[in-house]
Amino acid sequence: MGKINFTTDEASILKAYKLSSQNPTKWEEIDHDLEDPLSDLLTSQSNDGDGDPLGLGGVIDLTSLDAESKMSVLISSKSFDPKAFLSAVHPNATYQDLAAGITHLQSSIDARSEAVRVLVEDNFDRFVAVKASTDALYAEMREGLLSDKAEFATRPLVDYLKRSAVKANQVFLPTLENSAKAQKLRTTLGVFERSKFFFSLPGFLVESIEAGRYEAALRQYSKGKFLLDSRPGQLLPVEAGANAGSTAQQKRILDKVWANVEKVMGEMKALLLARLQEPGRSVEEMERAIEILLELNVPEDPIWTYFDSQHKRIMDRMSAAYRTGVSIIDATKSRTTPELSSPNALRQILGAQLQVCIVALESKAPEAVISQAGGHEVWQAIWDMVKNISEVMVSSLPNFWKIARSFLEGKFKRPSSSRRSSSQCRQMALDIIKLYINFLSEFFILSDVLSNSSTTNSPEHFPSHSNSLTTAHWLTKILNEVQDCVAEISALELGEGGLVKGLVESTRWRFEDVLVRSWLRDANYMYTLESFTPDLSTPSTTLYLAHLESFMRHLATSAFKIAGGVSTDSGSGVLRVTQRNIVPPAFISKITKAFLDAIYAVLDGFVVLVAEDAPPGVSSIVAAGAPEREGKQELIDLRDSNTRLLLVISNFSHLSGSLIPNILSQLENALGISVEDDRKTLMKAVTALDKTLFDGYVKPKAAAVAVILREGILDKDMDWYETPQPTEIRPYMYKALMGLVEIHAQISRVSENLLERGMYALVENVAQDALLSFKQVKRFGMGGMLRATLEIEFMHQTLARYVSPPAAKTLSELYNKISQAYARRPGDENLQGNLDSVKRTLAESRRATGIEFMCFRAAKERSGKGKKEKDDGRERGKDGGKDREGRGDSSTAS
């Protein structure tokens, strides 16, 4: 295997890299196929074996020469230079050497000439044959292929080339055009790749805005703006030495892209400004939007855009809620208010509502019933209106004030000062609170507590047919809503100067006034609840008293809750206190006065119950509280005014003795005051009314019995002086006593606890009327005196159980009057015998009427105080009999 030649071929290197030398000074591309020097160099290199043409034995070393020098040294080169040759190859040759070299060179030339001459002589015939063939071929080609018509054989070739060019254009031109376009696209993509951030900035901003990443959009925008202002060449590179057109084109591209960026950012600014005006956004969102807009340096001040839009929106929403609420209230009121066709219609409606609501107070969930009573639709609409207005303010004002407070602390301020004062945002918040107060003041007609004034009527929007219990429920609920709203506003520390606190106090005062007026109105109608149904838990009373106590307790509790004094839970008493607060004296005075006025109104209602006509709602027949007899419960007739009167008087006993003192004491404990003077005045009024009602029952009954006695005593056919000794008791006395039996039966049947009081009073009146009648008799004979004594003694002994000390005194006076009016005549000496006869007659009459007058006897099975009192009455009767016997004996002796 031969050795590999690694000798440097300079010509090949220069040809391969299209260079003129191995040490170029500038960029060049030389086509050596068209340049003679290099071809000469290549030819000479192929003939390096010729050696020295002078024959001096020198070696031609071309490795250290450049191409131009080589061309001048090589004898085969067209640019051969003898001087250069001698200086390069034989620089040290002598004259003799050069002369010998000339001789050697001449010999070489001659030898070459002789070789050429021999070559020609040997091949002359061939040269002649070739010449003849060439000429014949040329003549033939001139006539055909190289004729003038064929343009020396170029026309077909040109035609072929033209057709080939056309076909090539059809086939390759689209490909070349697409290739050019692809090259342009590659160039453009290269530019875009280098400016990827800038050209993708609009799309990135759009995506960030749609995703809600406004901070990221702001960062990228700020970065792009910085690069555009400071380093535009980094965004869109331009080749060095580019002309002004390229720079202008770059500017147009940057401006167009940046215009899209500004358009997107303008949309984001508008979006954020619109968001500042939207409701329901969190404080963090609003603060972030304001900060971004401040960094974007929008023309509008974003903080004031927020304040103005939110202030207007809150005010408008509150106004709309108020107007809508009032219209709904008025529509509901007109739809639900009943027609009051008669003067008593409202009383009947309220009475029916009170009946249901007071009964519900004794249940586990009274509020469910009370809240749905008459007028609840209007109350619900009122509560909804207050709640809606409160929710608008409570849902918006805290966020508004939080941002406003941050603004007042120096946040969200633009570098350039604004002409608007920062304190204006505080005034905006106060305007919202004042609007809330104005709406409530206008609707509820609020007034200052210190003015101690009260309007004549309730607000026009309140339902007129709603009972006081329902009114109290909804007023408390509405007040709680207002209090909750005020508490949240007060927690903001706006520095409103007590506006909201004054609102609560004014609302309390107004609601207290409305409740008191409704309380007194219903107290005047409470008597309609009296159905005279016995209260089995409290003997001799009706359920009306229990209802009355529940009514007064509940309304007193509600009034005190509205005043802000207590919170309540389950328990007993007028006010079930769990937490006591300080209540202004004005509220205490109003509640106390309303409580007492309500009791007086209830007392007036008792008078209505005993009127001649049965009050509306009172049934004609009702079961009494008397025990069953023979398996049937006794019935009483409530159409009788006397029956109702007895029931009312029986209730009065419990009312004056227990109910009123208890509820007054509970009121004093709850309010922390003393109403001793009012208590005395009230008890005097109760006592006076009780006496009036009692006398209203007793006086007519006693008068009816007195008429019977008077007719019997002052009978014109009766001569008390001439009448003979009595053998029987005249019928009038039986008739009078039977009248008392009927009264006794009525009282026992209706209200047994009034029996002793009523019978004592009747006996006193009957004794007094008997005394007055006997005083009109001028004188008595023996028979008249004994008859009068017999009849009065019969009445006395029959009614002995109910003879009170005043009645006993009156009967004693009666006996004395008879004794004093006795006119003794001759023949009246047998007094003792006559008295014995009278005693027998009396005893027989007592036995004969024992069954009829058994009701006047004391029951055998009796214990306690009642038995003692009845036994004392019986003893008083016996003692009176002894006194009468003594008086009779003394009068006879005289």
Side-chain angles (χ1 to χ4, degrees), residues 32 50 167 200 255 260 331 339 398 455 477 500 546 575 702 754:
H32 291 285
D50 295 342
K167 191 66 176 178
S200 62
D255 290 344
N260 292 333
E339 295 183 5
T455 57
K477 189 173 182 179
V500 292
L575 294 176
L754 295 178

Side-chain angles (χ1 to χ4, degrees), residues 381-416:
I382 295 174
W383 181 79
D384 289 340
M385 181 203 69
V386 175
K387 183 176 179 62
N388 290 337
I389 299 176
S390 301
E391 284 183 348
V392 170
M393 185 170 68
V394 170
S395 63
S396 305
L397 186 57
N399 292 346
F400 181 91
W401 176 242
K402 187 175 181 180
I403 295 178
R405 186 164 53 188
S406 299
F407 179 65
L408 292 174
E409 293 172 354
K411 195 175 180 182
F412 309 127
K413 289 189 177 180
R414 306 186 73 166
S416 59

Side-chain angles (χ1 to χ4, degrees), residues 77-88:
S77 174
K78 295 179 180 180
S79 58
F80 175 76
D81 186 1
K83 294 179 180 180
F85 175 81
L86 291 177
S87 63

Side-chain angles (χ1 to χ4, degrees), residues 10 85 227 349 361 466 627 652 673 777 828-829:
E10 181 181 0
F85 175 81
L227 293 176
I349 293 172
L361 290 176
S466 179
F652 254 89
I673 60 174
V777 180
D828 294 344
E829 293 80 5

Side-chain angles (χ1 to χ4, degrees), residues 95-113:
Y95 176 79
Q96 292 79 6
D97 294 336
L98 294 175
I102 293 172
T103 304
H104 181 269
L105 180 59
Q106 185 65 44
S107 298
S108 297
I109 294 172
D110 292 341
R112 288 180 179 272
S113 299

Side-chain angles (χ1 to χ4, degrees), residues 265-545:
M265 293 305 294
E267 294 176 356
M268 189 180 86
K269 294 175 185 178
L271 178 63
L272 291 177
L273 286 172
R275 179 162 293 188
L276 291 179
Q277 305 176 29
E278 293 177 1
R281 297 287 181 181
S282 64
V283 176
E284 292 74 16
E285 285 187 82
M286 292 298 186
E287 289 180 343
R288 191 164 63 249
I290 293 172
E291 291 172 350
I292 292 173
L293 289 172
L294 287 174
E295 290 190 30
L296 291 174
N297 196 23
V298 294
E300 306 88 351
D301 194 340
I303 188 66
W304 286 111
T305 300
Y306 171 79
F307 286 146
D308 292 337
S309 60
Q310 293 297 324
H311 174 262
K312 182 177 183 301
R313 184 186 63 81
I314 296 172
M315 300 281 278
D316 291 344
R317 287 183 62 195
M318 291 175 63
S319 300
Y322 176 73
R323 291 192 299 270
T324 303
V326 171
S327 62
I328 293 175
I329 292 168
D330 292 338
T332 305
K333 183 178 179 182
S334 62
R335 186 182 71 253
T336 59
T337 301
E339 295 183 5
L340 304 179
S341 56
S342 64
N344 297 328
L346 180 60
R347 180 184 65 189
Q348 295 173 358
I349 293 172
L350 293 176
Q353 293 181 20
L354 290 172
Q355 182 71 43
V356 174
C357 292
I358 292 177
V359 171
L361 290 176
E362 301 175 0
S363 63
K364 294 182 179 179
E367 299 300 331
V369 177
I370 293 175
S371 62
Q372 297 299 314
H376 74 275
E377 301 92 347
V378 180
W379 285 118
Q380 181 69 51
I382 295 174
W383 181 79
D384 289 340
M385 181 203 69
V386 175
K387 183 176 179 62
N388 290 337
I389 299 176
S390 301
E391 284 183 348
V392 170
M393 185 170 68
V394 170
S395 63
S396 305
L397 186 57
N399 292 346
F400 181 91
W401 176 242
K402 187 175 181 180
I403 295 178
R405 186 164 53 188
S406 299
F407 179 65
L408 292 174
E409 293 172 354
K411 195 175 180 182
F412 309 127
K413 289 189 177 180
R414 306 186 73 166
S416 59
S417 59
S418 175
R419 291 178 294 176
R420 302 178 68 171
S421 173
S422 58
S423 61
Q424 188 176 350
C425 61
R426 183 190 300 274
Q427 186 60 43
M428 288 181 174
L430 294 178
D431 289 342
I432 295 172
I433 298 176
K434 289 179 181 179
L435 182 65
Y436 179 77
I437 295 174
N438 290 338
F439 283 150
L440 296 187
S441 300
E442 177 184 345
F443 186 83
F444 295 115
I445 319 177
L446 301 183
S447 61
D448 190 2
V449 178
L450 298 177
S451 65
N452 200 23
S453 62
S454 59
T455 57
T456 306
N457 299 316
S458 297
E460 60 176 343
H461 303 288
F462 282 10
S464 59
H465 63 291
S466 179
N467 66 85
S468 55
L469 300 180
T470 302
T471 299
H473 168 82
W474 284 103
L475 289 178
T476 303
K477 189 173 182 179
I478 295 170
L479 179 61
N480 289 338
E481 181 64 34
V482 175
Q483 283 181 295
D484 293 343
C485 178
V486 167
E488 294 195 30
I489 298 305
S490 299
L492 299 178
E493 299 179 356
L494 280 166
E496 73 283 356
L499 287 175
V500 292
K501 183 179 179 182
L503 171 65
V504 173
E505 293 301 317
S506 298
T507 305
R508 290 186 188 278
W509 183 254
R510 187 69 182 103
F511 284 8
E512 201 75 67
D513 188 61
V514 173
L515 177 59
V516 165
R517 186 174 294 107
S518 178
W519 187 358
L520 296 181
R521 179 201 62 188
D522 289 358
N524 284 290
Y525 295 153
M526 273 298 292
Y527 69 89
T528 60
L529 273 64
E530 176 61 281
S531 61
F532 298 102
T533 302
D535 187 356
L536 301 180
S537 62
T538 306
S540 303
T541 61
T542 63
L543 289 175
Y544 175 66
L545 293 186

